[in-house]
Amino acid sequence: MSSLETSPDRYEELAQSLAEIRDRVRIAASGDGPTMVAVSKYKPASDILACHKLGQRDFGENYVQELVDKAGQLPDDIRWHFIGTLQSNKCKTLASIPNIYAIQTVASAKAATALNKSVPSERATPLYIFLQVNTSGEDVKSGLPALTSIESASESELVHLAKHVVTACPRLHLQGLMTIGSLTESLASSERGNQDFETLKRTRDVLEDVLRESGGGEWGVDGRLMLSMGMSSDFEAALKAGSDVVRVGTGIFGARHKKV
């Protein structure tokens, strides 16, 4: 068996898990079908190929070198999403992956500029960008502070970054906002809703108003910023709150064991 083949038992296990997650996404979602990114961190390329054979096309990775290695072995119609901490010195490597689809963790103008400079001129489509928002305010979380009102937006780092991407980074396309909410909110009762998700929605609404007022440049999809929120433990709540993209790893691939 080659390194890209998986055992029949593992294939069946992945097929069942993927089908179950897809059903749960379909039931929880309202409106247009959301994008479900299969987070394949620490999982072998054979698992990804099995899911690809089952029709999955969007996969997410947290580490640049792991993404580079997997992209070189796997089908080029995969849409790779980078969802890990973004360092400016890794932007050239990321942007050079032919089928990198989206970077979901942009949080500085320096990183956006580095990505824009690194996108090959021959690339047919822009590189999609999500700006990461720290909705929980936790020090351990990356991302920029959320927006509370249009009045306070003029001094916001997030607004300045969004305008920078839209006006000064022609090889990038500002697709939306992303957050990794707090574990507390993720585990909270669904009766009151997830406050991190609500914070990201408010931030999106304020930022859309600011971008419409400022004019110039294209962003979002049909004049609407997309939301990437929700993971294995809370993606259904995220979808009910209006998320456009969910990132599911353990629910599909099972528990992760860090490579040694």
Side-chain angles (χ1 to χ4, degrees), residues 109 112-113 116 164-173:
T113 299
N116 184 66
H164 175 74
V165 172
V166 170
T167 61
C169 300
R171 293 181 180 174
L172 308 182
H173 181 82

Side-chain angles (χ1 to χ4, degrees), residues 69 86 93 103 131 150 182 190 203 206 222 241:
D69 293 344
L86 180 63
T93 303
I103 310 289
L131 306 184
I150 198 164
S182 70
S190 58
T203 297
V206 172
D222 298 326

Side-chain angles (χ1 to χ4, degrees), residues 121-133:
S121 57
E122 65 271 18
R123 184 180 168 102
T125 59
L127 178 58
Y128 293 117
I129 296 297
F130 287 76
L131 306 184
Q132 186 170 0
V133 180

